[in-house]
Every structure is written in structure tokens, then in C-alpha cells.
Amino acid sequence: MSARRLLAASAAALTLLATLASVAAGHAIGQVFTLPVPRIVYFAGAGVAVAASFVVSVIALKPAGPVPHYPTRAIGDALARAASLALAVIGLGWWFGAIALGFVVDPISPLPAVLVWIGVWVGLPIAAVLLGNPWPSLSPFRTLMGMLEAAARRLGVERLDAGLTYPPGLARWPAVILLFAALWCELVLPGTSEPRSVALLLIGYTLVTLIGMIAFGRVAWLRNAELFEVLLGWFGRVGPIGRRVVAPEVCEGCGEGCDPERCVDCPECAVAADPGERRAVLRPWFAGLTEVQRAGWSDAAFIVLALAGVSYDGLKETAFWGSLMRPVFEAFGDAFGALNTVLLVQTGGLLVVWITFLVAFTAAAWLTRALHDRDRRVAPLGATAGAYAATLLPIAGGYLIAHYLTLVIQGAVWLPELVANPLSGAAPNLDFIPTSAVWYLSVAAIVIGHVVAVVLAHRLALRDAPRRAVLAGLPLVVLMVCYTVFSLWIIAAPITLEPGSTPAALLLR
């Protein structure tokens, strides 16, 4: 096969892949925005703002104890119960309704994909960042298992699960594997937006979750292995609506004294008590991230993978990525076939981005640990990496908003039309949203996320290395400044033009 024919076949395969996964694309804005100043000015300004926030943190923050104290306002029990019941009904209807629709609507209908890939996969993490984690009430698995357990008790069966002990060494690695599988289905696997494919994916995941809950118990599996429980649990720490554990005076899991008003999460507590037994409260944004007490390698790998996944999705939209892939197609397309080459390249690309992010973060965490006070006991590297990985969540949340908010808006506008006519194949136009507004919102979300991450990381350094906090915080600050520039470049590539440049669409006229 000639190089020209190979490139044509590769382009066709890429077009097919993009068409099949169009509902999971990032920006839903079709226009471009000509910047008033060069991109480098925005990049430099954002990097300086993030670096300056470290200086402000050094001046303003003082060493604090390990237990966070911040103002909270309780949400009325009646309101919380009503909201929880409504979310439980919506969760069951949304999840199992999407499964049913996958088998009954026309194969070309985008409705199931919009419900799942936009509504659940993209919309819920953004909702968790902006408001708080809805999944403990919304989860169809928690509700379904509760219903099955109630039915079993009526039949005289004391417990529905097999009573197996969840292996502590397994930590949250099952959730990491499931997150990678979900990202692979979203970003790599063709055809996952087709109704029947959506239904089969949901059925498969439902069976995996039910088997896990029956084997190890509802709480142990959900808290450690269920993808959405872990993902939205982490992102929900950013939002202002949280839950305080209503705990006994001494925790049955870890044996430590617990303040019912301010009990923090720990893996042992999660296994011992149902995390649904909590009091809903309003709190300052990002305050939930100060409660992270116990985390390890699996948490770090999970959070970095969540960040790498959305970054890779944006990276694929850049011309730079296309220029990197062209020689790969030329080298391997003839031997493996165009579509297989696309799958291999996309899978390898996702892995490379994740591993690169994880190596860079681990190196920064190792340097931070090495620079801690030498006369203090230093935590294992896994514990350090897990604790500092939580500070990346505002960055991931900001990038979610920057990259996917317009897609969620498009899905919300599209959904009523799709419910009325499932064959409505044309996504609504978002021309009423200026591209300049999308750009400045993206810049603000990314910069704010990085600034908050710097402040949280310095707070951790003050706790663990009060006399060398400035020095210990530098590796992560450098990493965050670099990622600020990188993420802004990804966001800018498809929607902005340098001053004085001409859009390609005009050049082709």
C-alpha cells in the first residue's frame, strides 16, 4: 500500500472513530476566537499567578493540626431525606432506563449515549465539583442492593453477601482498573456511543458491581472498588455540600476516638460502618480536601489517571498530536491495518500520558518527602503520594469544567428534544455562547484550580515539615506551574487563534 493510500485509510478510520464517539467529544463549540494578545502572554500570566499563590501561601498560612476545623452549616434532615429519596429514584430510572432504551430505540439514536456519556460520565463529576457528591443517594447499585437486602430479611435471610473480607492489600486498585477501562471505552473503543453498546456496557458493569457487593459486602466493595463511588467521592470533596459521619465515640474499624461532628474518612471506618449514615452539611469550597487522612498508591494512581484521561482527550484535538501520529500510521498501518493501528496508537497514547503524569508526580512527591524535616518521622512514599495526590483534584476539576462544560450544556439542551424524538440526530448549536467566554472561563477554571492546589499542597507541607515547608513545597509548585501551561495550551489549540491569523475555513473559500 502506498503512503498516500495508507494516510487516506488512516484518515478514514480516524473519521469513523470520531463520528462514533462524537457525543463524548470535549468542546461543543464550533467557532474559534482570535486572541487579543499572543497565547504565550496568557500562558506566562497563568504560570506567574500559580507561582505567586505559593508566595502568598508561604506568607499567610500557619502550621495547623492534622484534624481540619472549618465552619459548617447543617442541612435539615427532612430536606436531606427528601433529596436523597428523589436522587435514588432518579438514579434507578436513569441507569436502568438507559439500559432499556439501548435495546428499544433505533440503532442510530444518540439518546442512550447522551444519558450515559454526557449525563453520567461527564455531567456528574462536574456537578460534584460545583455542588457536591450526589452518588451516595443517586447510586443505582446502593439502592438496588438495599432493596435486595430488605427483601432477603423479609425471607428470613440475615445477610445477602458471602461475608468475604475485602483484601486490605487490594486497596482501590480495582477502581483504578475500572477507570482505565472506562476511559478506554470513551476515548479509544469505536462504537461505544451506539445504543446497544451503551446498554451492554451498563449491564456488564452492573453485574460486576453486584457480584463484588455480594462477595465482599455492600460497603466494602462500594468504598474501594466501585468506579463512580470512588471517582465522585474524590471530586465531591471539592464541592460545598458534604457529609459528616455520624459515628460512635470509638470507631469499630480503626479503634480511634471519633467526634461525630468531625469524623474523617479512613479505609477501616469505611469497611466498619455504612458511609451513607452521614449528616449533610454546607461547607466552604475545597474544605473537604483538607480531611484526607489516609491515602496510598492506589489513590494516587486513580487521581492522576482521572487527570491524565481528560488531558489526553484534549491532547487528541491538537494539531501537534496529529503530527506525532502521522509517522506512526505510515510505519505500522500497512502491517496492522488502519483501524487496528488507530486502536493501538490511542491505547498507547492514553497509557503514555498516564504513566508520564504518574512518574512526574511521583518524582515530585519523592522530592517533597526527601525535603521534609530530618528530625521528624517521614511517612512512607505511598502515603505521601496519596496525600499530595488529593491536592491535584482542584486541577482536575478545573480542567473538567474547562474542557467539558460546553458539552454538558449541549447535552442538557439536547435531552428534551431527544426524549420527544429519539431519532433527533443533530446536536443543538451553541452559537449563543461566545467562544471568547468559553476561553476566559477555561483560563479562570484552570488557574483557580491550580492556585487552590498550591495552597492545599503547602498546607500539607506545613503539617508534615513545618520548618522546611517552603523547600518541601517547591517540587509540586514547579510541577503545577508546568501543568498550568500545558493544560492551557491544550484548551487553546482547538478554539483560539493568534492575533492577526486567519481561520482555516476562510482560507479554503
Side-chain angles (χ1 to χ4, degrees), residues 101-112 194-196 422-423:
L101 286 169
F103 291 107
V104 300
V105 298
D106 192 276
I108 65 171
S109 172
L111 178 56
E194 296 173 356
R196 187 174 291 270
L423 292 179

Side-chain angles (χ1 to χ4, degrees), residues 111-134:
L111 178 56
V114 170
L115 287 171
V116 175
W117 288 117
I118 295 180
V120 175
W121 184 243
V122 176
L124 287 184
I126 291 179
V129 169
L130 296 178
L131 298 174
N133 178 18

Side-chain angles (χ1 to χ4, degrees), residues 11-67:
L14 283 169
T15 302
L16 171 65
L17 191 60
T19 301
L20 292 173
S22 60
V23 296
H27 288 293
I29 299 292
Q31 313 96 339
V32 292
F33 169 55
T34 302
L35 297 172
V37 295
R39 289 176 184 168
I40 189 64
V41 175
Y42 289 96
F43 300 162
V48 168
V50 173
S53 67
F54 178 66
V55 177
V56 173
S57 300
V58 169
I59 297 172
L61 292 183
K62 304 300 178 185
V67 179

Side-chain angles (χ1 to χ4, degrees), residues 31 43 56 73 93 143 192 196 215 218 235 253 262 273 284 298 316-317 350 358 365 421 447 458-459 488:
Q31 313 96 339
F43 300 162
V56 173
R73 182 177 179 180
T143 303
T192 52
R196 187 174 291 270
R218 174 164 55 105
F235 278 121
R262 298 193 174 278
S298 62
K316 292 196 307 174
E317 297 180 16
L350 178 59
L358 191 58
N421 178 19
V447 172
H458 185 63
R459 181 188 178 278
L488 279 179

Side-chain angles (χ1 to χ4, degrees), residues 34-357:
T34 302
L35 297 172
V37 295
R39 289 176 184 168
I40 189 64
V41 175
Y42 289 96
F43 300 162
V48 168
V50 173
S53 67
F54 178 66
V55 177
V56 173
S57 300
V58 169
I59 297 172
L61 292 183
K62 304 300 178 185
V67 179
H69 292 281
Y70 51 80
T72 61
R73 182 177 179 180
I75 297 175
D77 288 343
L79 176 60
R81 283 195 296 269
S84 181
L85 178 60
L87 287 173
V89 173
I90 292 171
L92 282 174
W94 197 282
W95 188 270
F96 293 104
I99 292 176
L101 286 169
F103 291 107
V104 300
V105 298
D106 192 276
I108 65 171
S109 172
L111 178 56
V114 170
L115 287 171
V116 175
W117 288 117
I118 295 180
V120 175
W121 184 243
V122 176
L124 287 184
I126 291 179
V129 169
L130 296 178
L131 298 174
N133 178 18
W135 196 248
S137 299
L138 191 65
S139 169
F141 315 118
R142 186 186 291 272
T143 303
L144 179 60
M145 192 65 176
M147 294 166 63
L148 292 175
E149 288 174 340
R153 284 193 294 270
R154 291 193 189 96
L155 297 174
V157 180
E158 264 188 48
R159 55 187 303 170
L160 192 59
D161 61 86
L164 299 177
T165 300
Y166 185 86
L170 202 57
R172 285 176 165 169
W173 288 112
V176 176
I177 295 170
L178 289 170
L179 177 58
F180 186 88
L183 288 169
W184 187 79
C185 288
E186 177 206 3
L187 303 175
V188 178
L189 185 64
T192 52
S193 63
E194 296 173 356
R196 187 174 291 270
S197 298
V198 171
L200 292 175
L201 286 172
L202 295 186
I203 290 172
Y205 185 71
T206 301
L207 291 176
V208 168
T209 305
L210 286 176
I211 291 170
M213 289 190 293
I214 291 172
F216 299 105
R218 174 164 55 105
V219 175
W221 183 261
L222 292 180
R223 293 289 291 166
N224 293 286
E226 203 272 289
L227 170 58
F228 295 101
E229 194 89 19
V230 178
L231 180 69
L232 297 175
W234 278 120
F235 278 121
R237 290 178 178 270
V238 177
I241 300 176
R243 294 170 178 82
R244 288 290 190 185
V245 176
V246 181
E249 291 184 2
V250 177
C251 172
E252 297 176 3
C254 60
E256 297 178 357
C258 294
D259 179 353
E261 294 295 326
R262 298 193 174 278
C263 182
V264 296
D265 293 334
C266 69
E268 295 85 356
C269 295
V271 173
D274 187 339
E277 298 172 357
R278 299 185 177 191
R279 180 173 299 138
V281 297
L282 291 174
R283 63 192 179 192
W285 258 288
F286 309 107
L289 292 170
T290 65
E291 295 180 334
V292 179
Q293 300 292 310
R294 294 172 175 84
W297 281 118
S298 62
D299 298 288
F302 186 93
I303 294 170
V304 173
L305 176 56
L307 184 61
V310 68
S311 298
Y312 177 66
D313 192 16
L315 183 63
K316 292 196 307 174
E317 297 180 16
T318 64
F320 172 77
W321 178 257
S323 66
L324 286 180
M325 294 303 101
R326 189 173 299 110
V328 177
F329 292 135
E330 293 175 353
F332 299 103
D334 198 12
F336 297 104
L339 186 57
N340 289 334
T341 302
V342 170
L343 292 175
L344 289 172
V345 167
Q346 299 282 31
T347 304
L350 178 59
L351 273 171
V352 167
V353 171
W354 178 31
I355 293 171
T356 301
F357 278 28

